[in-house]
Amino acid sequence: MKILFKISVSVICTSFLISPLFAADSAGNRADSSILIGYQTGAHLATMIAPPLRIGTFVGDWEIALDMGSNSWTNTSGSASGVATYKNQGLNTRYFVGNSFNILAAIHNREYSAKVTETSGSNTYSGTLDAKATVATFGIGNHWLMDWGLYIGADWFMAGSALSQSSTVAGEFTTSGKKDAEDLGKFVNQVSTAGGVLVFTVGFAF
């Protein structure tokens, strides 16, 4: 795993070093391309939890794309077990100022749903938590499109702001358990609205 991580970092760093050489006409390459398929990763909490697949197109100086990310996991501790799902989906747009520099404006719906079941003696307790946030994100970055279709770039800085958010706890909880679930819902929404730095996108356009 460490070797794979080192290789991935080396490939990304090398690509950023050579991309200006082979993507001197990124603007022209975008004009000649219709479809973009990419993958996002980097220092952005929502992206780290559910990295999105990006499918988009180029319209003049604009890039318009849909982000689709989802991740599920289960956890068991003693007599308690839980299953959770996090969805990271939205509309991602960029306005290019020149060859590669661009301004990001995006809106995402991020949802966290979890169900916890606990057995105590002959009794079984279960509850659910649903946390939702609609988030506007703005940022700046550089994205290059090489002559043969490789698309690579980074959002250097991203700022997020919640347009709306909610958290609902339902089911059978103890008083302390319900309070913990409510606090978790608030925390998840904070994660969903957090900004990021050095968020990379790698893909192909054709």
Side-chain angles (χ1 to χ4, degrees):
M1 181 63 72
K2 291 183 178 180
I3 294 176
L4 180 60
F5 176 76
K6 290 180 180 179
I7 293 174
S8 299
V9 171
S10 297
V11 170
I12 291 175
C13 291
T14 301
S15 298
F16 271 93
L17 289 174
I18 68 173
S19 58
L21 300 177
F22 293 96
D25 188 23
S26 288
N29 293 335
R30 289 195 301 271
D32 294 335
S33 302
S34 300
I35 302 297
L36 166 66
I37 300 176
Y39 181 81
Q40 181 173 295
T41 185
H44 179 241
L45 293 176
T47 296
M48 294 170 69
I49 297 173
L53 172 68
R54 179 167 296 156
I55 300 177
T57 189
F58 303 103
V59 180
D61 293 325
W62 289 89
E63 174 192 312
I64 303 173
L66 294 176
D67 285 348
M68 296 167 285
S70 181
N71 193 13
S72 298
W73 58 93
T74 60
N75 185 49
T76 300
S77 178
S79 61
S81 63
V83 57
T85 300
Y86 187 83
K87 295 181 180 180
N88 178 19
Q89 302 174 339
L91 176 66
N92 198 83
T93 67
R94 301 180 186 281
Y95 181 75
F96 284 87
V97 182
N99 192 54
S100 65
F101 182 77
N102 62 82
I103 300 170
L104 167 70
I107 183 168
H108 288 81
N109 289 318
R110 297 186 173 123
E111 302 179 6
Y112 174 88
S113 59
K115 181 177 181 180
V116 177
T117 302
E118 182 176 6
T119 301
S120 178
S122 59
N123 298 318
T124 299
Y125 303 92
S126 64
T128 60
L129 167 62
D130 293 287
K132 302 178 181 180
T134 300
V135 183
T137 303
F138 300 94
I140 56 173
N142 286 87
H143 291 72
W144 296 272
L145 178 56
M146 300 186 189
D147 296 341
W148 58 86
L150 177 63
Y151 179 93
I152 187 168
D155 291 301
W156 308 119
F157 174 78
M158 294 166 52
S161 177
L163 300 179
S164 66
Q165 56 184 318
S166 65
S167 179
T168 304
V169 175
E172 300 172 330
F173 285 97
T174 63
T175 301
S176 60
K178 184 176 182 179
K179 179 64 165 55
D180 290 342
E182 290 173 343
D183 290 342
L184 176 59
K186 294 177 182 178
F187 175 73
V188 168
N189 282 337
Q190 290 176 346
V191 168
S192 293
T193 59
V197 294
L198 297 179
V199 182
F200 301 104
T201 301
V202 178
F204 284 90
F206 51 91

mmCIF file of all heavy atoms in Angstrom, residues 14-53:
data_model
loop_
_atom_site.group_PDB
_atom_site.id
_atom_site.type_symbol
_atom_site.label_atom_id
_atom_site.label_comp_id
_atom_site.label_asym_id
_atom_site.label_seq_id
_atom_site.Cartn_x
_atom_site.Cartn_y
_atom_site.Cartn_z
ATOM 1 N N THR A 14 4.880 14.387 -11.159
ATOM 2 C CA THR A 14 5.515 14.414 -12.474
ATOM 3 C C THR A 14 4.580 15.024 -13.507
ATOM 4 O O THR A 14 4.993 15.820 -14.356
ATOM 5 C CB THR A 14 5.920 12.997 -12.906
ATOM 6 O OG1 THR A 14 6.820 12.449 -11.937
ATOM 7 C CG2 THR A 14 6.602 13.027 -14.272
ATOM 8 N N SER A 15 3.287 14.663 -13.412
ATOM 9 C CA SER A 15 2.303 15.179 -14.357
ATOM 10 C C SER A 15 2.180 16.692 -14.239
ATOM 11 O O SER A 15 2.058 17.397 -15.252
ATOM 12 C CB SER A 15 0.936 14.520 -14.118
ATOM 13 O OG SER A 15 1.006 13.131 -14.324
ATOM 14 N N PHE A 16 2.218 17.207 -13.015
ATOM 15 C CA PHE A 16 2.118 18.650 -12.830
ATOM 16 C C PHE A 16 3.355 19.369 -13.361
ATOM 17 O O PHE A 16 3.268 20.500 -13.838
ATOM 18 C CB PHE A 16 1.905 18.985 -11.357
ATOM 19 C CG PHE A 16 0.465 19.022 -10.960
ATOM 20 C CD1 PHE A 16 -0.146 17.894 -10.444
ATOM 21 C CD2 PHE A 16 -0.293 20.161 -11.139
ATOM 22 C CE1 PHE A 16 -1.481 17.917 -10.091
ATOM 23 C CE2 PHE A 16 -1.627 20.202 -10.792
ATOM 24 C CZ PHE A 16 -2.221 19.077 -10.262
ATOM 25 N N LEU A 17 4.499 18.722 -13.297
ATOM 26 C CA LEU A 17 5.717 19.344 -13.796
ATOM 27 C C LEU A 17 5.727 19.420 -15.315
ATOM 28 O O LEU A 17 6.207 20.394 -15.901
ATOM 29 C CB LEU A 17 6.940 18.557 -13.299
ATOM 30 C CG LEU A 17 7.254 18.667 -11.794
ATOM 31 C CD1 LEU A 17 8.392 17.731 -11.425
ATOM 32 C CD2 LEU A 17 7.604 20.111 -11.430
ATOM 33 N N ILE A 18 5.208 18.382 -15.971
ATOM 34 C CA ILE A 18 5.276 18.347 -17.430
ATOM 35 C C ILE A 18 4.017 18.871 -18.094
ATOM 36 O O ILE A 18 4.035 19.166 -19.300
ATOM 37 C CB ILE A 18 5.543 16.911 -17.936
ATOM 38 C CG1 ILE A 18 4.336 16.000 -17.657
ATOM 39 C CG2 ILE A 18 6.816 16.348 -17.311
ATOM 40 C CD1 ILE A 18 4.464 14.622 -18.266
ATOM 41 N N SER A 19 2.916 19.008 -17.326
ATOM 42 C CA SER A 19 1.653 19.406 -17.955
ATOM 43 C C SER A 19 1.727 20.746 -18.675
ATOM 44 O O SER A 19 1.169 20.885 -19.775
ATOM 45 C CB SER A 19 0.520 19.412 -16.915
ATOM 46 O OG SER A 19 0.807 20.271 -15.839
ATOM 47 N N PRO A 20 2.405 21.779 -18.141
ATOM 48 C CA PRO A 20 2.472 23.036 -18.896
ATOM 49 C C PRO A 20 3.187 22.888 -20.232
ATOM 50 O O PRO A 20 2.922 23.643 -21.171
ATOM 51 C CB PRO A 20 3.243 23.975 -17.954
ATOM 52 C CG PRO A 20 3.026 23.402 -16.590
ATOM 53 C CD PRO A 20 3.024 21.923 -16.815
ATOM 54 N N LEU A 21 4.095 21.890 -20.333
ATOM 55 C CA LEU A 21 4.831 21.690 -21.575
ATOM 56 C C LEU A 21 3.956 21.071 -22.652
ATOM 57 O O LEU A 21 4.026 21.445 -23.824
ATOM 58 C CB LEU A 21 6.059 20.799 -21.318
ATOM 59 C CG LEU A 21 7.087 21.332 -20.313
ATOM 60 C CD1 LEU A 21 8.197 20.302 -20.112
ATOM 61 C CD2 LEU A 21 7.670 22.655 -20.802
ATOM 62 N N PHE A 22 3.124 20.084 -22.249
ATOM 63 C CA PHE A 22 2.312 19.353 -23.209
ATOM 64 C C PHE A 22 0.887 19.869 -23.288
ATOM 65 O O PHE A 22 0.072 19.319 -24.021
ATOM 66 C CB PHE A 22 2.307 17.862 -22.853
ATOM 67 C CG PHE A 22 3.646 17.212 -23.012
ATOM 68 C CD1 PHE A 22 4.480 17.070 -21.919
ATOM 69 C CD2 PHE A 22 4.076 16.761 -24.249
ATOM 70 C CE1 PHE A 22 5.730 16.466 -22.057
ATOM 71 C CE2 PHE A 22 5.316 16.162 -24.398
ATOM 72 C CZ PHE A 22 6.150 16.011 -23.298
ATOM 73 N N ALA A 23 0.557 20.897 -22.515
ATOM 74 C CA ALA A 23 -0.791 21.463 -22.531
ATOM 75 C C ALA A 23 -0.732 22.968 -22.715
ATOM 76 O O ALA A 23 -1.479 23.717 -22.110
ATOM 77 C CB ALA A 23 -1.510 21.114 -21.230
ATOM 78 N N ALA A 24 0.190 23.392 -23.597
ATOM 79 C CA ALA A 24 0.349 24.823 -23.842
ATOM 80 C C ALA A 24 -0.903 25.431 -24.445
ATOM 81 O O ALA A 24 -1.148 26.629 -24.305
ATOM 82 C CB ALA A 24 1.545 25.058 -24.756
ATOM 83 N N ASP A 25 -1.711 24.592 -25.130
ATOM 84 C CA ASP A 25 -2.951 25.075 -25.731
ATOM 85 C C ASP A 25 -4.143 24.375 -25.092
ATOM 86 O O ASP A 25 -4.974 23.769 -25.776
ATOM 87 C CB ASP A 25 -2.945 24.847 -27.243
ATOM 88 C CG ASP A 25 -4.129 25.517 -27.937
ATOM 89 O OD1 ASP A 25 -4.677 26.493 -27.362
ATOM 90 O OD2 ASP A 25 -4.513 25.059 -29.021
ATOM 91 N N SER A 26 -4.225 24.434 -23.768
ATOM 92 C CA SER A 26 -5.353 23.817 -23.078
ATOM 93 C C SER A 26 -6.682 24.404 -23.527
ATOM 94 O O SER A 26 -7.684 23.697 -23.659
ATOM 95 C CB SER A 26 -5.204 23.982 -21.559
ATOM 96 O OG SER A 26 -4.178 23.161 -21.058
ATOM 97 N N ALA A 27 -6.700 25.720 -23.767
ATOM 98 C CA ALA A 27 -7.934 26.364 -24.206
ATOM 99 C C ALA A 27 -8.395 25.793 -25.540
ATOM 100 O O ALA A 27 -9.580 25.496 -25.736
ATOM 101 C CB ALA A 27 -7.730 27.872 -24.304
ATOM 102 N N GLY A 28 -7.459 25.616 -26.467
ATOM 103 C CA GLY A 28 -7.804 25.033 -27.751
ATOM 104 C C GLY A 28 -8.230 23.588 -27.636
ATOM 105 O O GLY A 28 -9.162 23.135 -28.314
ATOM 106 N N ASN A 29 -7.563 22.838 -26.751
ATOM 107 C CA ASN A 29 -7.929 21.439 -26.541
ATOM 108 C C ASN A 29 -9.323 21.306 -25.932
ATOM 109 O O ASN A 29 -10.076 20.382 -26.266
ATOM 110 C CB ASN A 29 -6.898 20.754 -25.650
ATOM 111 C CG ASN A 29 -5.545 20.625 -26.336
ATOM 112 O OD1 ASN A 29 -5.459 20.600 -27.562
ATOM 113 N ND2 ASN A 29 -4.482 20.545 -25.542
ATOM 114 N N ARG A 30 -9.675 22.230 -25.036
ATOM 115 C CA ARG A 30 -11.031 22.203 -24.470
ATOM 116 C C ARG A 30 -12.068 22.482 -25.553
ATOM 117 O O ARG A 30 -13.130 21.859 -25.587
ATOM 118 C CB ARG A 30 -11.158 23.236 -23.338
ATOM 119 C CG ARG A 30 -10.409 22.886 -22.076
ATOM 120 C CD ARG A 30 -10.854 23.744 -20.900
ATOM 121 N NE ARG A 30 -10.650 25.169 -21.149
ATOM 122 C CZ ARG A 30 -9.529 25.838 -20.869
ATOM 123 N NH1 ARG A 30 -8.497 25.192 -20.331
ATOM 124 N NH2 ARG A 30 -9.422 27.137 -21.097
ATOM 125 N N ALA A 31 -11.745 23.406 -26.456
ATOM 126 C CA ALA A 31 -12.683 23.730 -27.530
ATOM 127 C C ALA A 31 -12.897 22.538 -28.455
ATOM 128 O O ALA A 31 -13.974 22.405 -29.054
ATOM 129 C CB ALA A 31 -12.160 24.930 -28.325
ATOM 130 N N ASP A 32 -11.893 21.665 -28.572
ATOM 131 C CA ASP A 32 -11.985 20.503 -29.454
ATOM 132 C C ASP A 32 -12.540 19.269 -28.743
ATOM 133 O O ASP A 32 -12.652 18.203 -29.370
ATOM 134 C CB ASP A 32 -10.597 20.169 -30.026
ATOM 135 C CG ASP A 32 -10.079 21.267 -30.951
ATOM 136 O OD1 ASP A 32 -10.913 21.996 -31.514
ATOM 137 O OD2 ASP A 32 -8.845 21.390 -31.077
ATOM 138 N N SER A 33 -12.867 19.380 -27.453
ATOM 139 C CA SER A 33 -13.345 18.228 -26.682
ATOM 140 C C SER A 33 -14.801 18.411 -26.281
ATOM 141 O O SER A 33 -15.262 19.539 -26.066
ATOM 142 C CB SER A 33 -12.483 18.043 -25.429
ATOM 143 O OG SER A 33 -11.123 17.859 -25.769
ATOM 144 N N SER A 34 -15.504 17.303 -26.186
ATOM 145 C CA SER A 34 -16.927 17.347 -25.837
ATOM 146 C C SER A 34 -17.228 16.754 -24.469
ATOM 147 O O SER A 34 -18.096 17.241 -23.749
ATOM 148 C CB SER A 34 -17.756 16.600 -26.900
ATOM 149 O OG SER A 34 -17.599 17.184 -28.171
ATOM 150 N N ILE A 35 -16.515 15.685 -24.101
ATOM 151 C CA ILE A 35 -16.828 14.949 -22.879
ATOM 152 C C ILE A 35 -15.603 14.888 -21.975
ATOM 153 O O ILE A 35 -14.487 14.637 -22.433
ATOM 154 C CB ILE A 35 -17.298 13.513 -23.196
ATOM 155 C CG1 ILE A 35 -18.529 13.547 -24.116
ATOM 156 C CG2 ILE A 35 -17.626 12.768 -21.909
ATOM 157 C CD1 ILE A 35 -19.743 14.211 -23.502
ATOM 158 N N LEU A 36 -15.829 15.102 -20.698
ATOM 159 C CA LEU A 36 -14.790 14.971 -19.673
ATOM 160 C C LEU A 36 -15.207 13.907 -18.668
ATOM 161 O O LEU A 36 -16.338 13.920 -18.176
ATOM 162 C CB LEU A 36 -14.583 16.298 -18.936
ATOM 163 C CG LEU A 36 -13.781 16.236 -17.621
ATOM 164 C CD1 LEU A 36 -12.333 15.849 -17.901
ATOM 165 C CD2 LEU A 36 -13.854 17.554 -16.877
ATOM 166 N N ILE A 37 -14.305 12.984 -18.375
ATOM 167 C CA ILE A 37 -14.519 11.990 -17.329
ATOM 168 C C ILE A 37 -13.317 12.051 -16.392
ATOM 169 O O ILE A 37 -12.173 11.872 -16.842
ATOM 170 C CB ILE A 37 -14.681 10.567 -17.892
ATOM 171 C CG1 ILE A 37 -15.885 10.504 -18.841
ATOM 172 C CG2 ILE A 37 -14.838 9.554 -16.763
ATOM 173 C CD1 ILE A 37 -16.063 9.159 -19.512
ATOM 174 N N GLY A 38 -13.559 12.316 -15.110
ATOM 175 C CA GLY A 38 -12.446 12.479 -14.186
ATOM 176 C C GLY A 38 -12.766 11.968 -12.792
ATOM 177 O O GLY A 38 -13.886 11.539 -12.495
ATOM 178 N N TYR A 39 -11.759 12.041 -11.963
ATOM 179 C CA TYR A 39 -11.838 11.550 -10.576
ATOM 180 C C TYR A 39 -11.148 12.570 -9.686
ATOM 181 O O TYR A 39 -10.075 13.078 -10.022
ATOM 182 C CB TYR A 39 -11.152 10.188 -10.480
ATOM 183 C CG TYR A 39 -11.185 9.562 -9.101
ATOM 184 C CD1 TYR A 39 -12.311 8.887 -8.643
ATOM 185 C CD2 TYR A 39 -10.063 9.625 -8.277
ATOM 186 C CE1 TYR A 39 -12.329 8.290 -7.400
ATOM 187 C CE2 TYR A 39 -10.071 9.029 -7.019
ATOM 188 C CZ TYR A 39 -11.212 8.364 -6.595
ATOM 189 O OH TYR A 39 -11.223 7.775 -5.353
ATOM 190 N N GLN A 40 -11.767 12.896 -8.555
ATOM 191 C CA GLN A 40 -11.239 13.933 -7.670
ATOM 192 C C GLN A 40 -10.742 13.346 -6.364
ATOM 193 O O GLN A 40 -11.357 12.435 -5.790
ATOM 194 C CB GLN A 40 -12.330 14.966 -7.378
ATOM 195 C CG GLN A 40 -11.880 16.116 -6.483
ATOM 196 C CD GLN A 40 -12.933 17.194 -6.373
ATOM 197 O OE1 GLN A 40 -13.261 17.857 -7.347
ATOM 198 N NE2 GLN A 40 -13.474 17.375 -5.180
ATOM 199 N N THR A 41 -9.630 13.867 -5.883
ATOM 200 C CA THR A 41 -9.077 13.463 -4.596
ATOM 201 C C THR A 41 -8.283 14.632 -4.025
ATOM 202 O O THR A 41 -7.964 15.582 -4.732
ATOM 203 C CB THR A 41 -8.173 12.222 -4.742
ATOM 204 O OG1 THR A 41 -7.749 11.774 -3.449
ATOM 205 C CG2 THR A 41 -6.937 12.536 -5.577
ATOM 206 N N GLY A 42 -7.968 14.581 -2.739
ATOM 207 C CA GLY A 42 -7.170 15.651 -2.150
ATOM 208 C C GLY A 42 -7.600 16.004 -0.748
ATOM 209 O O GLY A 42 -8.389 15.286 -0.111
ATOM 210 N N ALA A 43 -7.089 17.129 -0.245
ATOM 211 C CA ALA A 43 -7.303 17.539 1.140
ATOM 212 C C ALA A 43 -8.626 18.292 1.281
ATOM 213 O O ALA A 43 -8.672 19.513 1.484
ATOM 214 C CB ALA A 43 -6.134 18.403 1.605
ATOM 215 N N HIS A 44 -9.702 17.542 1.140
ATOM 216 C CA HIS A 44 -11.060 18.071 1.259
ATOM 217 C C HIS A 44 -11.899 16.966 1.886
ATOM 218 O O HIS A 44 -12.015 15.863 1.330
ATOM 219 C CB HIS A 44 -11.602 18.461 -0.121
ATOM 220 C CG HIS A 44 -12.990 18.995 -0.103
ATOM 221 N ND1 HIS A 44 -14.013 18.381 -0.773
ATOM 222 C CD2 HIS A 44 -13.526 20.082 0.518
ATOM 223 C CE1 HIS A 44 -15.135 19.067 -0.592
ATOM 224 N NE2 HIS A 44 -14.855 20.100 0.199
ATOM 225 N N LEU A 45 -12.478 17.215 3.070
ATOM 226 C CA LEU A 45 -13.060 16.141 3.869
ATOM 227 C C LEU A 45 -14.152 15.373 3.138
ATOM 228 O O LEU A 45 -14.170 14.129 3.148
ATOM 229 C CB LEU A 45 -13.593 16.715 5.181
ATOM 230 C CG LEU A 45 -12.524 17.249 6.149
ATOM 231 C CD1 LEU A 45 -13.171 17.889 7.371
ATOM 232 C CD2 LEU A 45 -11.582 16.125 6.579
ATOM 233 N N ALA A 46 -15.096 16.072 2.510
ATOM 234 C CA ALA A 46 -16.173 15.374 1.802
ATOM 235 C C ALA A 46 -15.622 14.527 0.661
ATOM 236 O O ALA A 46 -16.111 13.413 0.408
ATOM 237 C CB ALA A 46 -17.197 16.380 1.272
ATOM 238 N N THR A 47 -14.604 15.038 -0.017
ATOM 239 C CA THR A 47 -13.975 14.284 -1.097
ATOM 240 C C THR A 47 -13.236 13.072 -0.561
ATOM 241 O O THR A 47 -13.247 12.003 -1.184
ATOM 242 C CB THR A 47 -13.002 15.193 -1.875
ATOM 243 O OG1 THR A 47 -13.754 16.236 -2.502
ATOM 244 C CG2 THR A 47 -12.237 14.425 -2.927
ATOM 245 N N MET A 48 -12.599 13.207 0.578
ATOM 246 C CA MET A 48 -11.879 12.083 1.167
ATOM 247 C C MET A 48 -12.840 10.970 1.595
ATOM 248 O O MET A 48 -12.536 9.784 1.475
ATOM 249 C CB MET A 48 -11.056 12.561 2.364
ATOM 250 C CG MET A 48 -9.927 13.507 1.982
ATOM 251 S SD MET A 48 -9.137 14.293 3.412
ATOM 252 C CE MET A 48 -8.324 12.887 4.158
ATOM 253 N N ILE A 49 -14.026 11.340 2.081
ATOM 254 C CA ILE A 49 -14.996 10.344 2.527
ATOM 255 C C ILE A 49 -15.643 9.640 1.343
ATOM 256 O O ILE A 49 -15.790 8.412 1.329
ATOM 257 C CB ILE A 49 -16.077 11.005 3.405
ATOM 258 C CG1 ILE A 49 -15.442 11.585 4.672
ATOM 259 C CG2 ILE A 49 -17.163 9.994 3.777
ATOM 260 C CD1 ILE A 49 -16.398 12.404 5.507
ATOM 261 N N ALA A 50 -16.038 10.410 0.326
ATOM 262 C CA ALA A 50 -16.709 9.848 -0.846
ATOM 263 C C ALA A 50 -16.178 10.523 -2.103
ATOM 264 O O ALA A 50 -16.798 11.454 -2.626
ATOM 265 C CB ALA A 50 -18.221 10.025 -0.735
ATOM 266 N N PRO A 51 -15.016 10.082 -2.601
ATOM 267 C CA PRO A 51 -14.422 10.701 -3.792
ATOM 268 C C PRO A 51 -15.381 10.622 -4.981
ATOM 269 O O PRO A 51 -15.871 9.544 -5.310
ATOM 270 C CB PRO A 51 -13.163 9.853 -4.034
ATOM 271 C CG PRO A 51 -12.859 9.227 -2.713
ATOM 272 C CD PRO A 51 -14.188 8.981 -2.072
ATOM 273 N N PRO A 52 -15.654 11.749 -5.636
ATOM 274 C CA PRO A 52 -16.643 11.728 -6.712
ATOM 275 C C PRO A 52 -16.064 11.413 -8.087
ATOM 276 O O PRO A 52 -14.948 11.818 -8.414
ATOM 277 C CB PRO A 52 -17.191 13.160 -6.693
ATOM 278 C CG PRO A 52 -16.030 13.983 -6.222
ATOM 279 C CD PRO A 52 -15.266 13.114 -5.261
ATOM 280 N N LEU A 53 -16.849 10.693 -8.857
ATOM 281 C CA LEU A 53 -16.614 10.573 -10.286
ATOM 282 C C LEU A 53 -17.203 11.811 -10.939
ATOM 283 O O LEU A 53 -18.310 12.230 -10.596
ATOM 284 C CB LEU A 53 -17.307 9.318 -10.836
ATOM 285 C CG LEU A 53 -17.300 9.158 -12.360
ATOM 286 C CD1 LEU A 53 -15.880 8.887 -12.858
ATOM 287 C CD2 LEU A 53 -18.253 8.045 -12.782
#
